[in-house]
Amino acid sequence: MELIGWVLRNRVKTQYLGDTTYEAVARRKHQFSGLNPYDKQYHTNVTMSYHDRNTAWQNALKVASEVYAAPEADRPFPGDVKHFYSPQSVARVPDWAR
């Protein structure tokens, strides 16, 4: 989750694809699987609020807050890294990763 958070931060900072907010970056079509309407968790993911007590959700909020507030020195990869995928999380290698 932390690495995905840094990808989001990089995209906001560089205005990747013209997006200037975390919400716009996260909800851009076909960019983050859990926020695409075809994902089985989509409805749950987009209806959660800061007050939901779901453990995974609270952990995600914690990680997001930490990445948002982290100093640049904590950056795990360069600021021009705008993509990330985990072979354990996806069924096929994305075209851009080949």
Side-chain angles (χ1 to χ4, degrees), residues 6-93:
W6 280 100
V7 166
L8 283 157
R9 183 170 162 170
N10 286 354
R11 287 183 178 200
V12 171
K13 183 175 181 177
T14 62
Q15 298 182 9
Y16 182 69
L17 300 175
D19 295 325
T20 59
T21 67
Y22 284 88
E23 181 178 6
V25 167
R27 288 186 176 236
R28 179 168 282 276
K29 190 175 182 179
H30 302 301
Q31 297 301 300
F32 297 95
S33 58
L35 295 174
N36 281 309
Y38 61 80
D39 188 271
K40 63 184 177 185
Q41 285 292 116
Y42 174 77
H43 181 72
T44 299
N45 294 342
V46 299
T47 58
M48 294 279 208
S49 75
Y50 286 102
H51 307 292
D52 282 293
R53 291 292 156 216
N54 176 291
T55 302
W57 176 249
Q58 287 301 315
N59 187 43
L61 288 175
K62 180 180 179 284
V63 170
S65 294
E66 289 171 354
V67 170
Y68 182 82
E72 289 289 318
D74 289 354
R75 181 179 293 287
F77 43 67
D80 63 349
V81 173
K82 296 179 193 80
H83 294 82
F84 173 86
Y85 92 100
S86 168
Q88 292 85 18
S89 301
V90 296
R92 67 175 187 83
V93 176

